[in-house]
Amino acid sequence: MTLASDPRRRVPRTDAVLAEPQIAIAVAQLGRPLVKEAVGAAQDRVRSGEIAPEAVVDAVLDALPDIAATLRPVLNATGVLLHTNLGRAPLSPAARRALDVAAGTCDVELDLATGGRGPRGRGAVDALLAAVPSAGAAHLVNNGAAALALVATALACGGREIVIARGELVEIGDGFRIPDLLTATGARLREVGTTNRVTPADYADAVGPDTAFVLKVHPSNFVVTGFTRSVEVRELGGLGVPLVVDIGSGLLAPHPLLPDEPDATTALTHGATLVTASGDKLLGGPQAGLLLGAPGDGAELVGRLRRHPLARALRVDKLTLAAMEATLRGPATPVREGLDVAPAALHARASRLAELLRRSGVPAEAVETDATVGGGGAPGVALPSAAVALPESFAAALRAGEPAVLGRLERGRCLLDLRALPAEADDTLAAAVLTCRS
Ligand SMILES: *Cc1c(COP(=O)(O)O)cnc(C)c1O
């Protein structure tokens, strides 16, 4: 081979590659630095003899991401409906469309009829009140933790007491603990009961002149069984101080499959002054913190919280407002569908997929599984489900694919559980498995 014919000597110039029409489109979509980086990597592959000089443009296009961010889509085949590492609730198509509108300039704080300033986020709050008629007022903040921080700051900073059961001192995840969050606001905790037992009398004895409020926190990620006693919301009325209930998951009304999961409507009708919750757990919306006040005292409290200086630091953006309103007003969310889907439908999908994969030589088998709600709520509840079982070696290849697929390892197999995946994703899932067959 002469020097001139050695492909490694004919590395296409960067400006020539960037001028190719398809590459120019990519530059317009993704920005020059990202594309230039991919061009550099492709040139290196020519230099090392891995690809031909003529293949540079295709190599660049193959290597470019779909979006100018490092986030990649992942199919949730874990059987965990609300997977924290996958961003909890996937948004409904209705919420995604609302996000698209809100992403531009929109009337988030403008009254188009008068041309004057309008109330920010009114649509989302109205939708929340329509969904929870037993609430008298509502407010949205950044997440569930922010809702608690705002209440604790407004009512208990300066060393006033929050009365809370020892069995409800919850670590949410990633090392964050609710008791630490509460005391970080300057409040003091007045712990009552023991890890396993607490009675209404324990609360009544602890409430005094220093009490800011009584807080009930749903143990949303663990269960205590055995010799236990907890106190219901309805047993805590008449203590003469606000009763704040952190229900965690954002279930707005009872769900038949989750009898032990607290919901906002029941908490309010049973006497809670204020309910706090997350927006991106069982509610199925964007990350947000809900504050729902009972008519009267609770609504007055929500008004105070909305005007508190800290509220500005916890304010949600227009994207959250849009997605939350559409989640509440729109059709059933993917989370709700994943919760309500009949196990028989999941079995039928698993059988069809396994059959299809076997015909292409993949050793796939349809199996019955137990799915879970996840860290977002309903601890200990098994949701009957179905999965496609593959050899364990598929797991890593599936994670590296496009789209990435996250399954669950169980007894030496890689399970692709269908409970958290919409049926529309089945064909994409099958294609992803076939891609990593070898
Ligand atoms: C998840 C959870 C929180 C924290 O909510 P974020 O929205 O994650 O900030 C607080 N309390 C309970 C009971 C929870 O389950």
Side-chain angles (χ1 to χ4, degrees):
M1 195 187 282
T2 66
L3 265 185
S5 68
D6 183 345
R8 282 168 287 190
R9 301 277 161 186
R10 295 189 286 116
V11 179
R13 290 161 46 100
T14 304
D15 49 2
V17 179
L18 288 172
E20 290 285 336
Q22 280 170 293
I23 302 287
I25 292 171
V27 169
Q29 285 172 346
L30 298 169
R32 198 175 171 87
L34 240 166
V35 179
K36 237 178 128 175
E37 202 178 304
V39 171
Q43 289 168 325
D44 285 346
R45 291 172 70 191
V46 175
R47 276 184 209 104
S48 70
E50 190 191 328
I51 59 172
E54 298 73 33
V56 160
V57 170
D58 284 343
V60 171
L61 292 173
D62 274 353
L64 285 174
D66 284 342
I67 55 171
T70 51
L71 283 175
R72 292 175 53 202
V74 180
L75 292 188
N76 177 7
T78 59
V80 180
L81 266 187
L82 295 163
H83 200 297
T84 302
N85 305 144
L86 298 180
R88 290 192 184 156
L91 294 182
S92 66
R96 290 170 187 237
R97 280 200 298 281
L99 277 178
D100 206 41
V101 170
T105 43
C106 60
D107 60 347
V108 65
E109 224 175 288
L110 177 77
D111 182 341
L112 281 170
T114 64
R117 188 188 183 117
R120 182 184 173 88
R122 168 60 65 80
V125 165
D126 286 351
L128 201 48
L129 293 175
V132 187
S134 50
H139 181 57
L140 284 168
V141 289
N142 264 321
N143 56 17
L148 282 174
L150 183 56
V151 187
T153 306
L155 296 186
C157 73
R160 301 200 64 210
E161 286 182 353
I162 301 172
V163 176
I164 182 168
R166 290 201 166 83
E168 298 180 2
L169 299 171
V170 177
E171 174 166 324
I172 315 170
D174 195 23
F176 288 101
R177 298 171 168 174
I178 287 180
D180 297 344
L181 170 76
L182 296 171
T183 53
T185 68
R188 280 192 301 144
L189 297 186
R190 177 74 185 266
E191 299 173 16
V192 297
T194 61
T195 308
N196 55 329
R197 287 177 70 84
V198 64
T199 64
D202 292 325
Y203 285 93
D205 289 347
V207 169
D210 291 336
T211 306
F213 61 95
V214 169
L215 176 63
K216 258 195 78 61
V217 176
H218 175 50
S220 56
N221 51 12
F222 68 99
V223 265
V224 180
T225 57
F227 184 51
T228 62
R229 163 79 158 100
S230 57
V231 173
E232 302 293 321
V233 173
R234 58 149 70 90
E235 296 177 278
L236 288 173
L239 291 175
V241 293
L243 171 58
V244 178
V245 180
D246 174 15
I247 60 167
S249 79
L251 207 58
L252 300 181
H255 190 286
L257 281 181
L258 310 173
D260 296 327
E261 191 65 18
D263 67 276
T265 300
T266 306
L268 288 167
T269 52
H270 284 185
T273 314
L274 191 75
V275 168
T276 69
S278 297
D280 55 351
K281 295 181 180 173
L282 287 171
L283 178 60
Q287 179 188 305
L290 276 48
L291 288 150
L292 292 157
D297 286 359
E300 190 267 332
L301 177 54
V302 168
R304 269 175 68 193
L305 297 176
R306 191 182 292 129
R307 289 185 300 275
H308 191 279
L310 186 62
R312 177 57 194 245
L314 309 176
R315 187 173 95 162
V316 293
D317 71 331
K318 60 182 177 172
L319 301 177
T320 302
L321 291 169
M324 181 57 78
E325 183 176 358
T327 298
L328 292 163
R329 294 198 197 277
T333 63
V335 171
R336 186 65 188 221
E337 287 180 336
L339 201 55
D340 291 346
V341 65
L346 297 172
H347 291 145
R349 285 169 55 195
S351 299
R352 187 187 79 88
L353 280 170
E355 168 79 41
L356 187 150
L357 293 170
R358 274 198 303 272
R359 265 190 270 125
S360 300
V362 177
E365 192 194 341
V367 294
E368 291 188 10
T369 57
D370 280 335
T372 57
V373 169
V381 173
L383 303 167
S385 184
V388 175
L390 300 171
E392 190 173 337
S393 59
F394 273 80
L398 282 165
R399 279 201 313 277
E402 226 173 295
V405 176
L406 188 67
R408 168 167 103 240
L409 295 182
E410 212 172 274
R411 279 178 273 130
R413 292 196 293 187
C414 170
L415 299 186
L416 303 180
D417 194 305
L418 300 179
R419 175 66 85 159
L421 265 187
E424 302 85 78
D426 281 0
D427 291 341
T428 312
L429 183 68
V433 176
L434 291 176
T435 309
C436 44
R437 189 168 16 175
S438 43

